[in-house]
Amino acid sequence: MGTAKRQPWVVGVSGASGTPYAASVIRALLAAGEAVDLIVSRAARLTILDETGISFRDAHWRTDLAAWLGTDEGLDDVRYWPAGDFAAGPSSGSYPAKGMLVVPATTGAVAGIALGLSKDLLQRVASVTLKERRPLVVCVRETPLNGVTLKHLVELDAQGAIVLPASPGFYAGGSTVRELVDFVAGRVLDAVGVPHSLYLRWEGELGAAARKGGSDGAVPAEGE
Ligand SMILES: Cc1cc2nc3c(=O)[nH]c(=O)nc-3n(C[C@H](O)[C@H](O)[C@H](O)COP(=O)(O)O)c2cc1C
């Protein structure tokens, strides 16, 4: 009695390009005081290796995660589950997860979740999240999209998932890759009501992005 029950957000990282989106989401959840249960698909090890140079290992997840996030702050609030572990806590609806964020989501993960395949722990937990009517955000990253993926995305929407493409907006005046990444991460957190200060919100003023420096980093010349 007295100890608050841990209620984590499950973050599922699948093997799409865009691992910086996942790192930003995880950092921001921890900064907001949220607990995180982390699942990294087998394919995501390849994208993490490709995009960060880090070999993500189950046995050394804490060290590897700290290297990936660039900090070990808040890592005591992270629990890690190997992608092949179907006995993991979040694979049951009785586990007290708040919901799940799949960031980034591959077209394969989109298909598996839409069809209820549960081919690995990430897909299983996504199915559980839907059946428990908890928030599920699917941050899909692929371009262009083929017809079957479009159908799967519509199916996910019909099942109550929030389909949130990794598609940065330029109205917040982001001038660095980090700012554009944080914009997408911020929209993911917005979708589940977690407070953050990852990007500047639209306040109804046209031209604010350009005055901040422009999205290509160019500072407008005097009088421009
Ligand atoms: C470097 C790299 C980048 C990839 N980028 C994407 C991507 O942006 N979107 C996508 O849907 N699949 C991408 N893939 C392919 C997926 O990793 C592959 O379809 C895999 O089976 C997905 O498995 P998962 O959903 O279990 O992570 C990429 C693969 C590699 C190696």
Side-chain angles (χ1 to χ4, degrees), residues 14-17 41 43 46-47 50 106-107 109 119-120 141-142:
S14 65
S17 180
S41 81
L46 298 179
T47 46
D50 185 52
T106 62
T107 55
K119 70 121 184 161
D120 62 7
R141 210 314 310 175
E142 185 55 280

Side-chain angles (χ1 to χ4, degrees), residues 111-178:
I113 299 166
L115 300 174
L117 296 184
S118 294
K119 70 121 184 161
D120 62 7
L121 181 65
L122 187 152
Q123 292 186 13
R124 165 67 187 162
V125 179
S127 288
V128 167
T129 305
L130 287 174
K131 88 179 170 72
E132 297 297 327
R133 305 289 194 263
R134 294 175 186 148
L136 172 67
V137 179
V138 178
C139 186
V140 60
R141 210 314 310 175
E142 185 55 280
T143 197
L145 293 169
N146 65 26
V148 77
T149 299
L150 290 168
K151 284 181 191 155
H152 290 148
L153 291 171
V154 170
E155 177 60 30
L156 284 181
D157 179 72
Q159 291 182 36
I162 298 163
V163 175
L164 195 154
S167 167
F170 292 80
Y171 58 78
S175 57
T176 64
V177 171
R178 174 69 182 261

Side-chain angles (χ1 to χ4, degrees), residues 76-91:
D76 288 345
D77 291 327
V78 179
R79 209 163 163 189
Y80 176 76
W81 303 100
D85 182 7
F86 286 104
S91 68

